[in-house]
């Protein structure tokens, strides 16, 4: 019986020591530059695999030069609008446009906000507005 009690007390003591070590480590990490989100470097994957992952990650955005612009999801409405932009030579025959590029992978679609000062003079009414470029034409 005494031996079992001694084993239990040793286990409790070792658990309390581990808890104290974890608390000390957490306090040191919270004050360090690394912080609590430290992830050790990956040493098990090969260089080729790391390069493949980096390339796949790089294809998701346009890069740092474009402020990591994400690739836009191509919906049918967006594809239709882009095709109209490509065919603007045929729509507006009086203007000259350069040869259109293929459909872009990285782009953003915005919404034009009217100026409050132009409320009566140059704004488009709700009837004339369309959700897409195709609807406006």
């Amino acid at each position: 019986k005494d031996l079992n009690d001694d084993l239990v007390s040793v286990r409790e003591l070792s658990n309390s020591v581990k808890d104290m070590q974890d608390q000390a480590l957490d306090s040191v990490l919270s004050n360090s530059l690394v912080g609590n989100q430290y992830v050790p470097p990956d040493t098990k994957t090969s260089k080729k695999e790391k390069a493949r992952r980096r390339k796949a990650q790089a294809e998701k955005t346009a890069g740092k030069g474009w402020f990591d612009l994400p690739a836009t999801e191509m919906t049918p409405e967006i594809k239709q609008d882009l095709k109209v932009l490509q065919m603007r030579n045929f729509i507006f025959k009086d203007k000259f446009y350069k040869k259109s590029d293929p459909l872009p992978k990285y782009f953003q679609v915005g919404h034009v906000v009217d100026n409050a000062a132009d409320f009566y003079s140059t704004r488009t009414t709700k009837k004339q507005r369309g959700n897409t470029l195709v609807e406006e034409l």
Side-chain angles (χ1 to χ4, degrees), residues 87-101:
M87 293 188 287
R88 64 182 178 223
N89 285 341
F90 305 109
I91 297 171
F92 307 108
K93 296 219 179 230
D94 56 333
K95 291 191 177 186
F96 173 75
Y97 295 101
K98 288 183 178 179
K99 182 181 175 186
S100 59
D101 295 330

Side-chain angles (χ1 to χ4, degrees), residues 1 6 14 17-19 22 26 28 38 43 45 50 56-57 62 69 81 85 90 101 119 122 124 128 134:
K1 248 185 174 180
D6 290 340
S14 68
V17 167
K18 286 180 183 176
D19 290 340
D22 289 342
D26 288 342
V28 168
Y38 173 71
T43 57
T45 46
K50 287 179 186 178
Q57 188 68 24
L69 180 70
D81 285 347
L85 281 176
F90 305 109
D101 295 330
F119 186 75
T122 60
T124 345
Q128 293 171 335
V134 175

Side-chain angles (χ1 to χ4, degrees), residues 73-88:
E73 182 182 334
M74 293 296 259
T75 62
E77 293 87 17
I78 291 176
K79 274 188 181 179
Q80 210 172 26
D81 285 347
L82 289 173
K83 285 182 182 178
V84 166
L85 281 176
Q86 282 185 332
M87 293 188 287
R88 64 182 178 223

Side-chain angles (χ1 to χ4, degrees), residues 11-72:
R11 285 183 185 158
E12 289 174 359
L13 184 64
S14 68
N15 287 340
S16 64
V17 167
K18 286 180 183 176
D19 290 340
M20 288 173 40
Q21 286 175 344
D22 289 342
Q23 288 174 354
L25 182 64
D26 288 342
S27 67
V28 168
L29 282 177
S30 66
N31 296 332
S32 71
L33 293 175
V34 175
N36 290 332
Q37 290 81 23
Y38 173 71
V39 179
D42 185 18
T43 57
K44 294 188 179 185
T45 46
S46 67
K47 286 183 181 180
K48 286 185 180 181
E49 180 63 29
K50 287 179 186 178
R52 270 191 231 117
R53 287 182 187 170
R54 257 183 281 149
K55 187 175 181 180
Q57 188 68 24
E59 287 179 359
K60 291 181 183 177
T61 65
K64 283 190 174 185
W66 287 92
F67 303 101
D68 294 324
L69 180 70
T72 307

